Structure formats: structure tokens, C-alpha cells
Amino acid sequence: MIIRAGDVFTWERTFTEEETLQFAHLSGDQGKHHVERDEKGRLMVHGLFTASIGTKIGGDLNYIAREMVSEFVRPVFTGDTITCEITLTSVEQMEGIKKVALKSVYRNQHGKEVLIGTSHGIIRDELKIK
């Protein structure tokens, strides 16, 4: 796959109550706001669960993160549809790898930012079969 600085990738998902409760169980984060409904009948989705949307894109690129910085701007609730947009800010070819930096913006169904972040890491060059 050829990638360049400026390339943009997106992915979206709608968070369900069942998935949020499963994440609470798997992560051990059983904070009341994640397991008890608010006055509108919603659960607050874990920040790291929200951030996992970007890991789908990273997996598609075979990206290995070395550092991830996230700012959780506003809460996400079950029933919200979140779109993650990742922009490659730099791609540098090195011996056997590409050094990659990126920025991410996550928006809810109303277009409001819920999470912004940056990351840098590598993508290994594909092995050539002889």
C-alpha cells in the first residue's frame, strides 16, 4: 500500500449498551457513569473504547503505534455514532520501515468533536518473497 502525508482515512461506529457493558467488564472500569444509565437512559462510553475506532484504521494500515496522545473533549453516550478521521501528517521512508505521524479527530453525529489526538509509530515494509 502506498501512503503519503496528507492521506485521510475514516471509520465510524455506533456504540451500543451491550458493547459498553462488555468493555466495562473486559477493562475492569466499572465506574457508575459507565454501568448506570443517566437521566436520558444512556451509558457513558469509555474514552478508550471511543478511541478504539482509530485502531481499526491503524490495523488496516498495519500501523504499530509508539506513542498516542488523546484529549477527550466531550462525553460519548450509547446510541451515539462517532466518526474518526485520521490524517497522516508525515510519512518518512527508512530502512525496512516507514516512520509515520498522524492526527485524529473524532466527531459525533452532530459534528461536534469528542476526541482529538496525535500518534506516531511505524509501518513495516512488506516482506518480499524470493
Side-chain angles (χ1 to χ4, degrees), residues 27-92:
S27 69
D29 182 349
Q30 302 277 329
K32 287 184 180 186
H33 47 288
H34 297 308
V35 298
E36 294 178 11
R37 291 180 191 86
D38 68 3
E39 65 281 349
K40 295 181 180 178
R42 310 167 302 177
L43 300 177
M44 185 186 296
V45 178
H46 300 72
L48 291 178
F49 191 25
T50 301
S52 74
I53 299 172
T55 64
K56 190 275 188 217
I57 297 169
D60 290 348
L61 297 172
N62 292 312
Y63 175 69
I64 301 169
R66 296 251 170 106
E67 179 181 75
M68 300 172 74
V69 177
S70 299
E71 179 181 347
F72 301 93
V73 178
R74 61 178 38 88
V76 171
F77 296 96
T78 52
D80 284 349
T81 299
I82 306 300
T83 301
C84 172
E85 179 180 277
I86 290 180
T87 303
L88 302 181
T89 56
S90 75
V91 178
E92 180 183 353

Side-chain angles (χ1 to χ4, degrees), residues 12-27:
E12 76 172 32
R13 72 174 298 157
T14 302
F15 289 94
T16 68
E17 184 173 303
E18 179 183 359
E19 293 168 331
T20 301
L21 291 172
Q22 286 176 338
F23 190 87
H25 174 74
L26 291 170
S27 69

